[in-house]
Amino acid sequence: MEINILEKIFKEVENGVSGALVTITESQGSTPRKSGTIMGVWKDEFLGTIGGGMIEHRVIELSRELIKEGRSKEFYFDLTKEAEL
């Protein structure tokens, strides 16, 4: 699945379409996905998953905002307690 995501991102970039590569860089304990998991996000679609749920939804929203702004950012989410999203 990761190769398909990277291939899609590569093709979109070649076609001048902006997108985001979301990567879990660190995870600890029991999490839906582990470090190295990736997801591609574009204006109207996404490919892959970083675990689903509210955090994935929020990451997609934030990624789309950053695509519009043309910048990148690192996010931190704590799954061990109620986190503010």
Side-chain angles (χ1 to χ4, degrees), residues 5-83:
I5 294 168
L6 294 174
E7 287 175 353
K8 167 90 172 158
I9 290 171
F10 181 78
K11 287 177 185 175
E12 294 293 342
V13 168
E14 274 193 325
N15 291 323
V17 178
S18 296
L21 172 62
V22 176
T23 307
I24 297 177
T25 57
E26 181 179 352
S27 67
Q28 298 174 348
S30 179
T31 58
R33 297 285 191 257
K34 300 298 179 193
S35 299
T37 300
I38 63 172
M39 176 174 68
V41 179
W42 297 271
K43 179 182 172 188
D44 297 321
E45 68 176 308
F46 66 93
L47 180 60
T49 181
I50 56 166
M54 289 299 297
I55 290 178
E56 180 170 288
H57 178 76
R58 184 67 179 133
V59 167
I60 291 170
E61 286 179 339
L62 292 168
S63 296
R64 288 180 173 154
E65 290 173 19
L66 292 167
I67 291 167
K68 287 179 191 175
E69 297 171 8
R71 58 188 197 99
S72 63
K73 182 176 181 178
E74 183 175 336
F75 307 119
Y76 174 80
F77 295 100
D78 185 345
L79 302 179
T80 61
K81 60 183 176 183
E82 193 169 316

